[in-house]
Amino acid sequence: MALITVTGYPCSGKSRRAQQLKEYLESKLVNPEYGGPTLNVLVLSDDSLNISRGVYDDSRLEKPARGTLLSAMQRHMGQDTILIMDSLNYIKGFRYQMYCAAREMKIRVCTIYVVAKPELCREWNSGREERSIKYSAETYEPSDLLDNLLQRYEEPSSMVRWDSPLFTIPWTDESPPNDDIWKAVTEGLVKPPNVGTQSVPKAPSDTLHILEHTATAIVSAIMAHQSASQGLSLGGSTALNVSPGLNVSINLPVRSLTLSEVQRYKRSFVTVHKKAMTIGTVEKGAVDLTEDAVARKFVEYLEENLKP
């Protein structure tokens, strides 16, 4: 249904905003005035996935942690769920990954930018009593993880498609712009999947055999027709019996065709379609290389290339 990405400085109040939003959305869904589909509201966070704040101090640990977040998000996304991603989400490239995954699932997206001053974030972080929810290094070496993350943070922008629609919530606001967010996740535009993220259907394993065999049979049928006509009825619409159960009609030029000429076009045709199968772009993903389809394509190819 929708993906809501929450981002902001560490200790800026993201989890509080995510919880406020969850409560609001759930209240809207049980309101008698709501007549839409039955939906669940789910919050995924570092805490719910047992990801320690300390992983952000080590790139070797942070990368698999982001992978855990992304995998969990992909498992829970669906047409019956409003998913709130409550994590740092401070790297714009990672927000773009989540955006592409949401588009592939054909669900709506929006971004919540929780704003707080760096000094407030430091104050709130130091006020946390439990070490597990503090942004501090887990090593014994001196390291100020919070300041490091503040410097590395990449702010979202409403000018880029993966951060929009963007809702900014200053620390002074009592609550998020709930009504606007509700409208975005229930009525917003559902963008189609990126071409680059769509899986391309694979051609059947016997496609190359069908391609070569059918094209060769049509060449043989053309040469047999010319031999049988003995030059008396060349050109025009010609019916060819290619194989049992396969008959095609082709417009031939009013002249004799040589075997080498037709064979050259056959090799060119097979090469083009073999390359398309190799790189996975057969008719832009529409795989139809049955015997009938190959015969039709080859006849069209010959008619376009054979000169009078």
Side-chain angles (χ1 to χ4, degrees):
M1 175 64 177
L3 170 69
I4 301 174
T5 302
V6 181
T7 182
Y9 283 160
C11 293
S12 59
K14 297 184 299 299
S15 295
R16 180 170 71 94
R17 300 302 190 183
Q19 187 60 35
Q20 286 178 325
L21 184 58
K22 180 177 186 291
E23 292 173 358
Y24 173 82
L25 294 174
E26 287 177 336
S27 68
K28 290 286 288 186
L29 291 171
V30 298
N31 191 310
E33 295 181 0
Y34 174 70
T38 302
L39 300 174
N40 300 314
V41 182
L42 177 66
V43 177
L44 280 182
S45 65
D46 290 350
D47 292 335
S48 67
L49 296 173
N50 296 316
I51 297 174
S52 167
R53 283 9 179 224
V55 301
Y56 296 103
D57 193 47
D58 188 339
S59 59
R60 293 170 299 180
L61 298 176
E62 183 179 351
K63 187 174 181 179
R66 287 202 304 270
T68 300
L69 279 167
L70 187 63
S71 297
M73 183 197 75
Q74 291 173 318
R75 285 196 306 272
H76 290 94
M77 279 192 307
Q79 297 299 323
D80 61 346
T81 303
I82 298 176
L83 183 61
I84 302 174
M85 289 299 294
D86 171 28
S87 183
L88 275 181
N89 303 322
Y90 72 101
I91 301 173
K92 59 185 177 182
F94 183 57
R95 295 198 297 268
Y96 177 70
Q97 272 187 289
M98 294 193 291
Y99 165 80
C100 289
R103 285 187 62 172
E104 192 171 356
M105 291 292 294
K106 298 180 181 179
I107 63 176
R108 297 178 177 89
V109 297
C110 74
T111 302
I112 309 297
Y113 180 24
V114 181
V115 178
K117 293 180 178 179
E119 52 268 28
L120 277 176
C121 296
R122 295 188 185 96
E123 179 184 339
W124 292 336
N125 185 58
S126 61
R128 292 180 172 180
E129 295 181 359
E130 297 181 34
R131 180 177 175 81
S132 62
I133 61 173
K134 273 190 175 184
Y135 285 94
S136 57
E138 294 185 346
T139 64
Y140 290 103
E141 299 177 4
S143 173
D144 194 342
L145 175 58
L146 182 63
D147 283 344
N148 189 7
L149 288 172
L150 291 174
Q151 293 176 4
R152 284 154 52 187
Y153 185 77
E154 298 176 347
E155 292 187 7
S157 170
S158 60
M159 301 298 292
V160 298
R161 61 188 183 279
W162 58 87
D163 286 333
S164 60
L166 177 64
F167 301 96
T168 301
I169 310 174
W171 74 96
T172 53
D173 286 4
E174 290 297 325
S175 63
N178 292 318
D179 291 339
D180 293 335
I181 296 172
W182 169 258
K183 187 174 181 180
V185 300
T186 57
E187 302 176 17
L189 178 66
V190 179
K191 298 182 180 179
N194 286 331
V195 174
T197 66
Q198 291 179 298
S199 59
V200 178
K202 299 295 183 183
S205 58
D206 60 344
T207 297
L208 185 56
H209 170 74
I210 294 174
L211 193 64
E212 184 76 39
H213 176 77
T214 305
T216 300
I218 291 176
V219 170
S220 299
I222 291 173
M223 302 314 296
H225 169 75
Q226 283 197 161
S227 177
S229 64
Q230 298 182 350
L232 298 178
S233 58
L234 295 177
S237 180
T238 303
L240 300 177
N241 182 14
V242 179
S243 64
L246 178 60
N247 298 297
V248 298
S249 179
I250 183 173
N251 288 311
L252 295 174
V254 187
R255 63 179 177 85
S256 294
L257 301 174
T258 64
L259 178 60
S260 61
E261 180 184 13
V262 184
Q263 287 277 30
R264 185 171 68 252
Y265 287 123
K266 188 211 81 169
R267 286 193 298 270
S268 176
F269 173 81
V270 170
T271 299
V272 168
H273 284 75
K274 188 191 300 184
K275 183 178 180 180
M277 290 189 313
T278 303
I279 64 177
T281 57
V282 181
E283 293 297 321
K284 297 183 180 179
V287 179
D288 182 12
L289 290 178
T290 59
E291 188 178 26
D292 289 343
V294 170
R296 185 181 67 254
K297 291 174 187 291
F298 186 44
V299 165
E300 292 173 356
Y301 185 81
L302 287 176
E303 290 178 340
E304 291 176 3
N305 290 277
L306 288 174
K307 298 180 180 179

